[in-house]
Amino acid sequence: DIQMTQSPSSLSASVGDRVTITCQASQDITKYLNWYQQKLGKAPKLLIYDASNLETGVPSKFSGSGSGTDFTFTISSLQPEDVATYYCQQYDSLPRTFGPGTKVDVK
Amino acid sequence: QVQLQESGPGLVKPSETLSLTCTVSGGSINSYYWTWIRQPPGKGLEWIGQIYYTGSTNYNPSLKSRVTISVDTSKNQFSLKLSSVTAADTAVYYCARGRGANRYWGQGTLVTVSS
């Protein structure tokens, strides 16, 4: 199985701050990476697919980059409604695997 | 708008079989992959497996000996069976659409394994 790691595991930032989360795969997954947002008590929501493609209807303050084994997810200007846990997921191979999540909070 | 809804018992006894159904509305089950994912309370997401509408399946090796996913295209439903459950199988179970990116998700259903 491909192992996914994320850092940090949690962060707290101020409204308007730029927030960056990193995700690393244990082997080359080319571009086959998703980013999901999960708010408390809700199902995950797809934000980014193919590492950098913004899902339809998702605000452009969210972005993703990277390829191979190293990926980055960015919120350009953190807002209170962005409080959530963010997960990366690889779909280069089976079984699909998720990172452990990054909990984002607002100071 | 595609909607997914999980249904099934919220409480299962240890050693018994967990059975859930996902009903798809607002679109056809045909031509897509359908996925089950679970999340133990307070923990991360675990991919259980997926099925193509033709019935072709892929399972997580960690659960493969206990998992069966099936599809009923006439009812626009797909199902999950997990046998010989233990407390470690207590989780919110989600159904979702997609082979790689899961764009549509059910709201999730909590299944507790307890006697």
Side-chain angles (χ1 to χ4, degrees):
Chain A
D1 299 4
I2 296 176
Q3 306 303 315
M4 307 299 294
T5 58
Q6 285 181 237
S7 63
S9 56
S10 65
L11 66 89
S12 184
S14 299
V15 172
D17 280 356
R18 183 181 183 89
V19 167
T20 298
I21 299 168
T22 63
C23 176
Q24 187 168 58
S26 60
Q27 63 190 69
D28 188 345
I29 58 170
T30 58
K31 65 174 183 177
Y32 299 118
L33 185 97
N34 299 318
W35 289 97
Y36 295 91
Q37 175 194 64
Q38 186 178 33
K39 295 185 177 181
L40 194 63
K42 300 295 186 182
K45 175 185 176 182
L46 179 67
L47 300 181
I48 303 285
Y49 64 95
D50 285 352
S52 61
N53 289 327
L54 193 67
E55 175 65 358
T56 301
V58 172
S60 59
K61 64 179 175 180
F62 297 106
S63 64
S65 64
S67 65
T69 60
D70 295 302
F71 301 86
T72 300
F73 173 81
T74 299
I75 307 172
S76 61
S77 177
L78 186 69
Q79 300 300 311
E81 62 266 25
D82 302 327
V83 169
T85 300
Y86 294 83
Y87 293 93
C88 60
Q89 179 207 25
Q90 67 80 20
Y91 57 102
D92 176 75
S93 64
L94 296 169
R96 311 302 191 211
T97 47
F98 293 88
T102 296
K103 189 173 183 180
V104 174
D105 202 358
V106 173
K107 286 181 184 174
Chain B
Q1 174 74 345
V2 175
Q3 293 186 313
L4 290 79
Q5 179 68 57
E6 304 90 350
S7 59
L11 181 64
V12 181
K13 290 182 168 56
S15 80
E16 295 189 345
T17 296
L18 177 160
S19 296
L20 296 173
T21 295
C22 183
T23 300
V24 180
S25 59
S28 175
I29 204 165
N30 292 332
S31 304
Y32 291 100
Y33 281 85
W34 302 92
T35 298
W36 286 99
I37 292 163
R38 71 179 183 178
Q39 185 172 37
K43 296 188 178 181
L45 300 161
E46 180 181 29
W47 185 87
I48 298 170
Q50 65 185 26
I51 189 164
Y52 194 42
Y53 77 103
T54 57
S56 174
T57 54
N58 292 293
Y59 299 134
N60 192 323
S62 68
L63 298 168
K64 187 173 184 178
S65 63
R66 299 193 292 131
V67 171
T68 302
I69 298 175
S70 58
V71 64
D72 187 336
T73 54
S74 67
K75 295 182 178 179
N76 239 32
Q77 294 176 334
F78 64 106
S79 298
L80 169 70
K81 290 189 185 298
L82 182 65
S83 63
S84 305
V85 297
T86 69
D89 296 310
T90 293
V92 174
Y93 286 76
Y94 295 102
C95 58
R97 192 184 89 174
R99 181 183 186 185
N102 299 117
R103 289 184 166 80
Y104 298 100
W105 294 65
Q107 65 185 23
T109 187
L110 174 63
V111 179
T112 301
V113 178
S114 175
S115 55

